[in-house]
Amino acid sequence: MSHKVKKFVGARSTAAGTTSIDMTTWTPIALATTTYDTVGNIHSPGTPTKLTAPFTGLYYVVGQNRWPDATGGVHMRIGLRVDGTTFHAVMSKTANDTNNQYMNIGMPIYLTAGQYVELCGYHLSVTAINAAHNTEAHLTLALLAVDH
């Protein structure tokens, strides 16, 4: 049985630097700064790539990454991955210029308490690309409805 959330439960964390992503390797983006965490344990510095569901329920998850300039013509992807294995959403694009390669993704995901979500990057460049340019990469988790 699902119940409405009576108090906002959620967290938003941003990157503080860059994450090196090798070609054709899904790589979680490291998050360093917590903008807010209403429960206090959704984002932990000990697990810098993860936002962990504190309760079982339906969450809205949003991620953003800014790829570096000079990635024109490179095929890039971001994805929302649960528990390190299951992708619930993937967004792809081929960069058509060399500036401001922003990618955003969001969707509702049902999580049980203790499951975690990561924002991952992937590309088809010939060399590693640094992703997660400071606060321009972020991951947000917001509880929509809780199960009892």
Side-chain angles (χ1 to χ4, degrees):
M1 173 183 233
S2 197
H3 295 280
K4 290 182 181 177
V5 177
K6 295 180 182 177
K7 177 180 134 182
F8 177 72
V9 174
R12 180 179 191 270
S13 293
T14 60
T18 59
T19 299
S20 180
I21 299 178
D22 290 329
M23 184 178 103
T24 68
T25 302
W26 281 105
T27 304
I29 294 171
L31 307 167
T33 304
T34 301
T35 308
Y36 60 84
D37 184 340
T38 63
V39 179
N41 65 351
I42 296 173
H43 181 248
S44 167
T47 55
T49 64
K50 303 172 184 178
L51 293 185
T52 303
F55 308 105
T56 297
L58 183 64
Y59 290 82
Y60 198 77
V61 183
V62 177
Q64 173 183 292
N65 185 51
R66 178 181 175 266
W67 296 92
D69 294 343
T71 53
V74 173
H75 183 76
M76 301 170 291
R77 297 178 185 170
I78 60 171
L80 299 174
R81 185 168 71 179
V82 175
D83 288 345
T85 57
T86 305
F87 280 93
H88 284 261
V90 172
M91 189 227 182
S92 299
K93 81 175 207 173
T94 299
N96 56 6
D97 60 33
T98 59
N99 295 307
N100 299 321
Q101 301 299 322
Y102 288 93
M103 296 180 78
N104 299 285
I105 192 166
M107 72 174 300
I109 301 175
Y110 184 86
L111 300 169
T112 58
Q115 283 190 298
Y116 65 87
V117 178
E118 296 173 300
L119 174 65
C120 296
Y122 177 100
H123 67 84
L124 295 176
S125 178
V126 294
T127 60
I129 294 177
N130 286 332
H133 285 261
N134 302 316
T135 59
E136 295 174 309
H138 61 81
L139 184 61
T140 303
L141 181 76
L143 181 62
L144 300 175
V146 65
D147 273 357
H148 289 284

